[in-house]
Each structure stands twice: as C-alpha cells, then as structure tokens.
Amino acid sequence: MAKGTGKVLAQNKKASHDYFIEETYEAGMVLQGTEIKSIRAGKVQLKDSYVQIRQGEAWIYNMHISPYEQGNRFNHDPLRVRKLLLHKKQIGELLGAVKRDGYTIVPLKMYIKDGYAKLLIGLGKGKKDYDKRNDMKKKEAKREMERAFKAKTTVRFWGIKSGMRF
C-alpha cells in the first residue's frame, strides 16, 4: 500500500493552504489503549497540531484525541504529547531541513493501515499571503472551467435527446 492510503480518519486541510508541502513521511504513533479506540471511532483532530524533534525523537503536540466513552478511569489526556515512530535517517533529514532551511513539520492526515494508526507528516515551507491569493485564484478559475464544460455538455446532451440540432 502506498503512503497516505487506507481508511482516512482525519485530515489537516489547512496545511495545504498555509504551506508548500515538499516531502511526506509516514509515521507510526505510540498510543495508549483507549486512544486507538477513539481514533478508530474517528474522534481525532489535527487542526492546530505540529511536530517537533527533541533529543533525536519526533513528538506531536496539540493533536486532540477525544476520550473514549466507555473508557471510564482508563481514559487519557486528550492533548497529551505523543511520540512518533520514524527511522533515524528520516528524523535526521527532518531535523536538518528544519534547522537549515526554515521548514516546518506539519501533520497532514491520519489513517488506519494494516490495523495500525499512521500519521502522514509533511515537510512544508510557509506560504506568503500573495501565494495564498494566487492559489485561490487558480482554484476558482479551475472551478469556472469545470462549470462551463459541464453546462456545455449537458446542453448538448439534452439538445440531442429532444431531437434539436446545434
């Protein structure tokens, strides 16, 4: 299975709006018992989360996993810091890019792959306001083209169906 495939449970749509994502990595996570049950129920948010590398290990901050309803006293803190499982080489690449080039490590999506919860993280460079405006203009132009094409094909279809010729 390729990176980023599987049952998607949460996506960080704001990340592609705020950053140019240049490279992605797939990471596992160290979770407690009730956390994986909440994740499988889809009760996870990546909105304000970010990844930092400390003492040669990757950690994710501000990822919200809601407490499991049937977990009673075994529940966890929803915003606790969680360790990410990456190879040393990958951590070294991420650390070098963050220190040297001013990149940021952002979580992009969380999914279940082969029974394990995985997190797709991206190495991104922040966009300026004018970059965001250009992206919005391109998306709007693409939507307009698709609308025009769709309208044109439906007119032709209904014109032929009713016996009219264009």
Side-chain angles (χ1 to χ4, degrees):
M1 218 182 273
K3 275 195 290 188
T5 58
K7 182 183 174 193
V8 176
L9 303 170
Q11 276 190 311
N12 189 356
K13 295 179 182 177
K14 192 83 170 156
S16 62
H17 182 263
D18 291 339
Y19 300 97
F20 292 113
I21 304 298
E22 297 189 8
E23 197 169 350
T24 59
Y25 297 90
E26 183 179 68
M29 291 177 288
V30 177
L31 299 170
Q32 293 178 350
T34 56
E35 286 179 324
I36 188 64
K37 293 180 180 187
S38 289
I39 288 172
R40 288 182 193 276
K43 297 188 176 187
V44 61
Q45 289 182 353
L46 300 174
K47 187 176 177 183
D48 294 326
S49 57
Y50 59 96
V51 177
Q52 281 188 344
I53 298 176
R54 292 198 172 172
Q55 299 174 352
E57 296 177 336
W59 300 86
I60 185 161
Y61 294 85
N62 288 343
M63 181 175 69
H64 187 274
I65 299 176
S66 297
Y68 186 58
E69 281 123 20
Q70 289 85 29
N72 57 38
R73 65 179 184 176
F74 298 109
N75 270 331
H76 56 278
D77 178 28
L79 291 174
R80 78 177 185 91
V81 180
R82 294 166 181 92
K83 184 178 176 179
L84 297 179
L85 304 173
L86 291 164
H87 294 283
K88 281 187 179 183
K89 182 180 178 184
Q90 292 173 330
I91 291 174
E93 290 171 4
L94 289 169
L95 185 60
V98 168
K99 281 187 174 180
R100 183 181 57 247
D101 300 328
Y103 283 93
T104 305
I105 309 167
V106 288
L108 302 174
K109 70 168 98 166
M110 180 180 281
Y111 52 93
I112 299 287
K113 179 178 171 184
D114 298 330
Y116 295 101
K118 299 287 184 179
L119 186 69
L120 188 69
I121 58 175
L123 191 60
K125 197 158 192 119
K127 287 184 181 178
K128 304 286 185 206
D129 286 338
Y130 57 84
D131 292 328
K132 293 176 188 179
R133 283 193 293 272
N134 287 341
D135 284 350
M136 289 174 64
K137 286 179 186 176
K138 287 178 186 176
K139 285 181 185 178
E140 187 61 35
K142 185 178 177 183
R143 280 192 210 118
E144 288 295 326
M145 286 176 33
E146 288 175 358
R147 281 188 204 129
F149 181 72
K150 185 177 179 182
K152 186 176 178 181
T153 55
T154 54
V155 167
R156 280 190 181 168
F157 176 74
W158 289 110
I160 293 170
K161 190 79 166 172
S162 63
M164 297 170 54
R165 295 184 183 230
F166 291 98

